[in-house]
Structures are given as structure tokens and as C-alpha cells.
Amino acid sequence: MGSMNAIMNAMDRYSLDIQMNSSSLSRRSAVLTNIKNELYTTSAILGGQVFDFDLDTGSSDVWVRGPNCTSTDGSCGVSGQAFFQPTASVATPNGTTWTTNYGSGTVSGNVYTGVATLAGMSATVSFGVTTTERGFNLPSAGLWGLAFPAINQIKSNGNFVQNGQIQSMAFYFPNFINGDSGMMTFNGVDATKFTGTIQYLPLSAKTYYQFSPAGGVFTVNGQAIPLTNTTNGAIADTGTTLLLTPPGIAAALNAQIGSGNLTNGVYPISCAIMETGPNVTLTIGAVSIDITSQEYVIANGDGTCFSGISSIGTISTGLAYIFGDTFLRAAYSVFDVANMQVGFAQAVHPTAIVNTLPGMSAATTTGAAAAAPTTTVAPKSTTTTTTTTTTTTTTTTTTTVAMNTAAVLAATTAAACVHSVCTSGVNLNANCNSCAMNVCVVDAYCCTTAWDAICISNVAKVCPMGTCA
């Protein structure tokens, strides 16, 4: 659950460090829920319904689990998990179907068109409602692609970033053991979440957030491990759990940090190394990021752990490196769409350990060659020949934010709900307050800092007709 302190800290508010004219931009944020360092989700509105989504800068389509979804591996969820309800939606089917292939599996279904709202930013997009899923046994209801239109599989009107005129997005990914919430920011940065200066690398393609890692080097235990095969490029990808490198580099890094042998696509590692392991430093140009053992050791929850650094396998796009969540926990990241660049600075995490995971203490481990993970993870936006599968199944959670009712009630002197049946006097009535709570869930700015025109507009999208007296 997102904490109010984390939100208020972020509302310090946004110290823009990106090269753009900030005066005309709407800077919004959303709280991220950390699923044990394997997945980061947030709530968003799609077709008038609120769901949790995995945010993915390594793909471009937006899709949600459908009511008629079928799967052979449990990807369509279990009883009680959220799914899209066409009869309750303000979106309309457009009569077409779509399929998207990912590293972890495949989804397909029917295409709808409607308003999509993420972190207070809205756009009319075409999105998928799944009828089949494979390899997506996720706690979230779907995937929200944030890459460029060139890799959209929903070809017509399917790109949220383009349609929403998003200029940039920035991510703070927390460590699970620290217990704090993550934060995604549109059109700005949160200066409380990083130290130093954000250093930028130019994008080499307008597809993924792809850049050249040429001249880069990993350093661990005083040993320099130069990046090889750099002509094939690298991407920064929030939808991939691991930091993936060419096989030789993955083997060298894992040997230095004390991992066991590659097993089922990942390197098992003693959970004790989470407390004692060396930093892994990545340097590319002016970018230099320290990845701590708390960031690269991932716990299975059963007393065993695995390394967040692994081999990329064979990627159909020809990429050599995917800087996934293991790296992005260490680096505050900026995906600067307007200026075709990605930026990184050292992320600042709390020092307190709130969630003590099984296996963290050296006394409870069985040595460096801990068992291979019982649940493995893989990139969701690329194709790989490794045997890894999609992220751990976890009970569905919803990010909630306490609503500042006084801010809502005092926000306007007219129709605060701005909805055809929610327009009574200076205050929102009880039903409208309930509608407004959904807006607070998906836009951290509302109800904590200010109740502005975007918040009001989004209430109109969420409040169903006829619910307000």
C-alpha cells in the first residue's frame, strides 16, 4: 500500500531536471506497489474501470484481462482477481483483434477504444481485452506499455504515450526490504528520490528506450568487466525483472558476487549475500550507478534467493543488454520522450529494514549454492531462449491513498464532480466522494497537494452515470 508520507515527500514537488519547457506541462505522479522486487504495479483507469497494471517501458500496447479469458497455465487469474467488464465500460469494441508476443508469453483478444488514465494523464486509446493469455501469471490485471508507436501491435490509435502527449516519465523503484512505496512521475522528476545529477544517454532508436552502452564497464571487487557486444545496443525496461547481459558477462559478474551455477535461466545465490555482498558499479559515459546487494539479491520467500543479474539468452530484437528492475532499483531513471534520451542518477533509499525476508540471516542459509528459485522471472517485452517464466503469482493488491476530504470539499464553489448527475452545490455528496477516491488512487497529486482541473476531469471519467444523487 502507498504510504501518505511517501506521497507527500514526492509532492515536494517536482524539480525539473529534463531539457524541456516545463511551464506548459502537467506534472503528475502515481504511487507504485513493489511485489517483492519482481514487479511494480500501479492503479489506472481504463474504459471507466480501475485496475492494477504492470508498467512496461519495453512494450507499447495497453491490455487488460477479459471476462472470457482462457489459459492453460493460470495466466487468466483466479477467482477474485479483477477483469474488464464490457457491460460496465464506457469503452467500445472496434471489431478487430490483436496478438502481442513477449519474452514470457503471448496475449491476444479483442480491441476496444476508450479513455485511458494513468497518473492523472488521460488519452483516448485502442487497448486490448484478452481472450487468451500464456505466461502472464501476474498479480496485476494487465500490462500498460509505455514505449514508442513503432512497436505497437495494436496499430491504430494504440499508443498511450503519443496520444497523451507525454513528454517524459521518471521512476523511483524501492527495495522491498525497506518497505517504502515507489513513484512514477510524468513530465518531471522527484528530486527527493536521487542524489547527484541526472546524466543522459541519447536514444539510438524510436522503438524501445534503446541506447548504446559502448565504452561501458562493470566494476565489482575491484575487478573491471568491460561491456562487450555493444553494437547490438541496450534498453532500459521497467517490464523486465532482471538485469540481462551477454552470457560471459553474466557469468563473470555472478562469480564475483558469489552466485551458484546458472539454473533454469537464473543464478541461485545465498540470501546472506543480501546483507554482505559487494556493490556492482555500472559506468557508461558520465553515468555511474552502484547496484547494492540489497538490490541484486532477490528472495523467493522460501529461504532461497537468486541473483537479479542473468544471461540475456537469444533476443529476437538483437539486443545485448536489458537494464531491467535490478538496475532500475539502483538508478532513478528518466525516460525523456521529447528529447529522445534516457537519464540515470543514483537512487536514494531508506536505510531502515522493514520487511525481513526468509533467508536473509546467514544463520538460516545453506551456503552460496542456494536452491534455484521455485518461481522464476523473465523479461515481458522481448523474446529469449532461456527457460525463465513470468513473475511470481501474488494475491492481487490495490494501491490506496488516504483522501484529504477537506481539500476535495473546498476545491470548487460550483460543480466539483463535473458530472451530469453529480453537480449539486459547493460540496461533493457521499457518492461523489466515493468516485473521487478512485481518482486519488490513480493520481497521487489529487487529494494530497491540490484538487485541480485534471482531478475534476478524471472524476467525470470515473463516476458512472446515475450514482450521485
Side-chain angles (χ1 to χ4, degrees):
M1 299 296 178
S3 70
M4 183 60 68
N5 287 338
I7 299 170
M8 294 307 293
N9 287 339
M11 298 309 150
D12 190 46
R13 174 81 161 90
Y14 300 109
S15 169
L16 269 183
D17 195 69
I18 49 181
Q19 301 165 14
M20 61 179 67
N21 177 9
S22 63
S23 62
S24 61
L25 300 178
S26 296
R27 298 188 294 276
R28 317 298 294 185
S29 67
V31 177
L32 305 179
T33 297
N34 184 350
I35 311 297
K36 298 183 179 179
N37 281 1
E38 295 179 0
L39 184 70
Y40 295 88
T41 65
T42 194
S43 295
I45 305 170
L46 194 61
Q49 300 173 52
V50 178
F51 303 100
D52 280 353
F53 288 90
D54 179 10
L55 303 182
D56 185 14
T57 60
S59 68
S60 296
D61 296 306
V62 176
W63 58 264
V64 64
R65 182 183 303 115
N68 300 316
C69 182
T70 60
S71 63
T72 58
D73 62 358
S75 290
C76 290
V78 297
S79 177
Q81 283 192 299
F83 61 87
F84 186 78
Q85 301 179 55
T87 57
S89 175
V90 293
T92 56
N94 66 14
T96 64
T97 60
W98 111 105
T99 298
T100 303
N101 296 311
Y102 301 85
S104 58
T106 301
V107 295
S108 61
N110 300 310
V111 178
Y112 283 67
T113 299
V115 175
T117 301
L118 173 63
M121 302 297 288
S122 296
T124 298
V125 298
S126 294
F127 60 90
V129 176
T130 63
T131 55
T132 61
E133 296 182 22
R134 178 181 59 80
F136 279 90
N137 207 347
L138 299 173
S140 57
L143 202 67
W144 196 292
L146 292 167
F148 293 96
I151 59 173
N152 268 103
Q153 299 306 301
I154 299 176
K155 298 295 185 182
S156 178
N157 198 44
N159 193 269
F160 176 79
V161 171
Q162 176 178 267
N163 293 4
Q165 299 182 359
I166 305 300
Q167 302 297 297
S168 73
M169 60 201 101
F171 292 88
Y172 166 73
F173 280 176
N175 286 319
F176 182 74
I177 63 171
N178 297 134
D180 61 327
S181 297
M183 188 69 68
M184 183 198 70
T185 303
F186 279 140
N187 302 333
V189 301
D190 179 354
T192 69
K193 297 300 185 185
F194 63 90
T195 184
T197 302
I198 297 174
Q199 300 291 341
Y200 289 92
L201 300 169
L203 296 182
S204 56
K206 204 170 184 179
T207 52
Y208 308 100
Y209 292 90
Q210 184 171 341
F211 57 93
S212 171
V217 61
F218 287 105
T219 305
V220 56
N221 292 324
Q223 178 73 36
I225 304 173
L227 275 63
T228 59
N229 196 25
T230 57
T231 56
N232 285 346
I235 64 172
D237 182 7
T238 61
T240 292
T241 301
L242 306 177
L243 193 171
L244 298 173
T245 75
I249 291 181
L253 289 171
N254 278 285
Q256 288 290 331
I257 64 176
S259 302
N261 295 323
L262 184 66
T263 305
N264 294 328
V266 294
Y267 287 85
I269 192 170
S270 167
C271 295
I273 292 176
M274 186 182 294
E275 301 169 285
T276 62
N279 287 359
V280 175
T281 301
L282 172 64
T283 303
I284 303 175
V287 173
S288 185
I289 301 296
D290 291 327
I291 309 169
T292 70
S293 55
Q294 292 182 355
E295 289 154 348
Y296 65 69
V297 176
I298 302 175
N300 285 309
D302 61 359
T304 64
C305 293
F306 62 97
S307 168
I309 303 168
S310 195
S311 171
I312 198 168
T314 303
I315 301 299
S316 62
T317 55
L319 295 169
Y321 298 85
I322 298 179
F323 294 102
D325 297 349
T326 297
F327 172 75
L328 297 175
R329 271 190 294 281
Y332 186 85
S333 57
V334 180
F335 297 76
D336 187 351
V337 179
N339 296 296
M340 284 288 290
Q341 59 186 357
V342 288
F344 306 106
Q346 191 72 47
V348 175
H349 296 286
T351 56
I353 294 178
V354 175
N355 298 313
T356 302
L357 299 174
M360 278 185 62
S361 170
T364 65
T365 62
T366 57
T374 55
T375 316
T376 56
V377 292
K380 289 177 284 298
S381 56
T382 52
T383 302
T384 176
T385 58
T386 61
T387 57
T388 51
T389 56
T390 305
T391 309
T392 301
T393 301
T394 310
T395 303
T396 298
T397 57
T398 301
T399 304
T400 58
V401 179
M403 182 171 64
N404 183 340
T405 304
V408 177
L409 298 183
T412 66
T413 58
C417 197
V418 189
H419 191 278
S420 58
V421 289
C422 298
T423 55
S424 173
V426 297
N427 295 335
L428 298 175
N429 64 30
N431 286 326
C432 279
N433 279 341
S434 175
C435 295
M437 176 62 83
N438 282 330
V439 173
C440 295
V441 167
V442 300
D443 187 353
Y445 186 84
C446 303
C447 310
T448 58
T449 301
W451 187 258
D452 61 9
I454 294 177
C455 304
I456 293 170
S457 174
N458 287 333
V459 169
K461 297 182 180 75
V462 177
C463 280
M465 291 289 289
T467 60
C468 300

